[in-house]
């Protein structure tokens, strides 16, 4: 069985905050001497992700 894929839609400000948080997490892992491979992969995926403009209608 395939693992489901999830999509998240972020504004530019939210995307920036997520990236900053991941970098802070990576720095704390480095201070603790832990591996940062998974966090590096997430940062790369976030930076290479396609950016779409979508319209949100509030009813």
């Amino acid at each position: 069985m395939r693992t489901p894929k999830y999509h998240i839609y972020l504004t530019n400000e939210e995307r920036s905050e997520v990236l900053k948080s991941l970098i802070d997490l990576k720095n704390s892992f480095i201070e603790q001497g832990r591996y940062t491979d998974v966090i590096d992969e997430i940062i790369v995926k976030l930076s290479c992700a396609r950016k779409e403009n979508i319209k949100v209608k509030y009813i």
Side-chain angles (χ1 to χ4, degrees), residues 24-36 39:
D24 290 341
L25 182 64
K26 180 181 174 181
N27 289 337
S28 69
F29 272 37
I30 290 172
E31 287 176 1
Q32 296 172 8
R34 297 170 65 184
Y35 293 108
T36 61
I39 299 171

Side-chain angles (χ1 to χ4, degrees), residues 1-30:
M1 183 176 210
R2 297 175 93 183
T3 57
K5 290 186 179 183
Y6 297 97
H7 300 273
I8 184 168
Y9 297 97
L10 302 172
T11 63
N12 288 335
E13 293 84 17
E14 292 169 337
R15 184 185 199 110
S16 173
E17 288 295 319
V18 170
L19 191 58
K20 287 178 188 176
S21 298
L22 286 170
I23 291 170
D24 290 341
L25 182 64
K26 180 181 174 181
N27 289 337
S28 69
F29 272 37
I30 290 172

Side-chain angles (χ1 to χ4, degrees), residues 38-50:
V38 175
I39 299 171
D40 291 335
E41 289 177 20
I42 296 171
I43 290 173
V44 169
K45 284 184 180 183
L46 181 67
S47 62
C48 295
R50 192 171 42 146

